[in-house]
């Protein structure tokens, strides 16, 4: 059984699929967006793990290019290790931890997956005055960053978006005649299978604007 919730964001009201809070919520939410498998299925678990592995492999293939951004991110996650490890050691520690199933993925993972799959990723923010996102016209993967129940100022969880009911202001601003904006799943087999998946990819990846610290570190 799929559990859904209503989440209020700046643009209107989201209907979301509730993702388990097991440390892999970002990868699980994106896997659900990409393939739409049941959250309890072996296919979904395999897809979630594949996305995590894709992130680590993406950075390891060209680590010098991304070293500065990854180090900045690692410093915020592991502040107690900053003066105990060199830059290379801390980034390696970050990559090792990121490969673990229960380690939280964040902006660095959104950037890597957007580039690896050449997909737009749109991240709404629960209760935010302005959700930080930028889409270039293609159908994006849609997830929502949820607030902590303990500290509403902290964003600690990701869910998968089923649909958005635009507010009146958002409809006028965006020129929508209908208030319903249902995202479409790009259904298909898991990465590594023999069949090809058509993602209708945009020419440029657009990500959560909080990711731009990393995208702009070492321009291609």
């Amino acid at each position: 059984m799929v559990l859904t919730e209503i989440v209020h964001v700046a643009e209107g009201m989201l209907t979301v699929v509730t993702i388990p809070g097991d440390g892999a919520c970002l990868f699980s939410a994106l896997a659900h967006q990409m393939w739409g498998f049941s959250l309890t299925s072996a296919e979904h678990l395999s897809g979630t793990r594949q996305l995590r592995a894709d992130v680590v492999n993406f950075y390891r293939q060209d680590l010098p290019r991304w070293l500065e951004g990854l180090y900045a991110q690692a410093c915020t996650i592991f502040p107690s290790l900053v003066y105990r490890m060199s830059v290379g050691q801390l980034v390696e520690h970050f990559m090792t931890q990121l490969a673990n199933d229960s380690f939280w993925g964040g902006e660095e993972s959104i950037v890597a997956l957007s580039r690896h799959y050449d997909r737009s990723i749109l991240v709404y923010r629960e209760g935010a005055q302005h959700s930080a996102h930028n889409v270039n016209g293609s159908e994006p993967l849609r997830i929502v960053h949820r607030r902590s129940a303990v500290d509403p100022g902290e964003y600690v969880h990701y869910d998968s978006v089923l649909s958005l009911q635009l507010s009146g202001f958002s409809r006028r601003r965006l020129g929508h005649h209908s208030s319903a904006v249902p995202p479409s799943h790009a259904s298909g087999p898991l990465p590594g299978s023999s069949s090809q998946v058509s993602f209708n990819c945009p020419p440029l990846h657009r990500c959560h604007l909080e990711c731009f610290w990393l995208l702009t570190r070492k321009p291609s």
Side-chain angles (χ1 to χ4, degrees):
M1 180 179 177
V2 176
L3 296 178
T4 62
E5 293 182 62
I6 299 298
V7 179
H8 294 277
V9 295
E11 293 80 359
M13 187 170 62
L14 300 175
T15 301
V16 307
V17 172
T18 305
I19 301 296
D22 56 3
C25 59
L26 172 63
F27 304 103
S28 184
L30 288 172
H32 182 262
Q33 283 286 299
M34 292 181 73
W35 301 297
F37 292 120
S38 166
L39 299 182
T40 58
S41 68
E43 292 88 351
H44 179 78
L45 178 60
S46 178
T48 298
R49 288 175 171 169
Q50 180 64 55
L51 293 183
R52 184 184 288 277
D54 288 338
V55 170
V56 176
N57 291 336
F58 175 86
Y59 287 121
R60 287 199 182 280
Q61 287 173 4
D62 194 6
L63 195 57
R65 177 185 178 190
W66 301 100
L67 189 65
E68 185 180 354
L70 291 172
Y71 179 68
Q73 183 78 333
C75 287
T76 65
I77 299 172
F78 310 106
S80 64
L81 300 180
V82 171
Y83 297 106
R84 295 166 51 191
M85 292 184 172
S86 67
V87 172
Q89 288 173 332
L90 186 56
V91 170
E92 177 58 32
H93 179 71
F94 185 19
M95 291 293 97
T96 300
Q97 294 301 310
L98 190 56
N100 295 332
D101 285 347
S102 60
F103 189 80
W104 289 9
E107 287 87 353
E108 77 295 321
S109 298
I110 296 172
V111 170
L113 292 173
S114 177
R115 287 187 168 234
H116 179 71
Y117 286 99
D118 202 10
R119 292 296 305 270
S120 297
I121 299 177
L122 192 160
V123 184
Y124 297 97
R125 302 194 77 190
E126 181 179 13
Q129 184 176 2
H130 297 290
S131 293
H133 63 270
N134 196 352
V135 180
N136 65 354
S138 67
E139 189 61 45
L141 305 175
R142 299 171 187 260
I143 57 178
V144 59
H145 208 185
R146 304 291 304 275
R147 282 175 162 172
S148 166
V150 177
D151 182 357
E154 293 288 327
Y155 287 83
V156 298
H157 183 76
Y158 291 93
D159 284 329
S160 174
V161 175
L162 286 179
S163 64
L164 165 64
Q165 192 77 14
L166 289 172
S167 66
F169 172 77
S170 294
R171 288 200 303 275
R172 291 191 298 272
R173 185 184 64 176
L174 298 175
H176 284 283
H177 298 291
S178 171
S179 61
V181 182
S184 61
H185 285 286
S187 301
L190 291 172
S193 63
S194 58
S195 301
Q196 294 295 316
V197 182
S198 175
F199 285 138
N200 189 26
C201 300
L204 296 174
H205 347 271
R206 303 296 182 90
C207 300
H208 191 189
L209 294 183
E210 288 185 359
C211 300
F212 283 1
W213 64 270
L214 188 53
L215 281 172
T216 57
R217 291 285 178 173
K218 300 289 184 181
S220 54

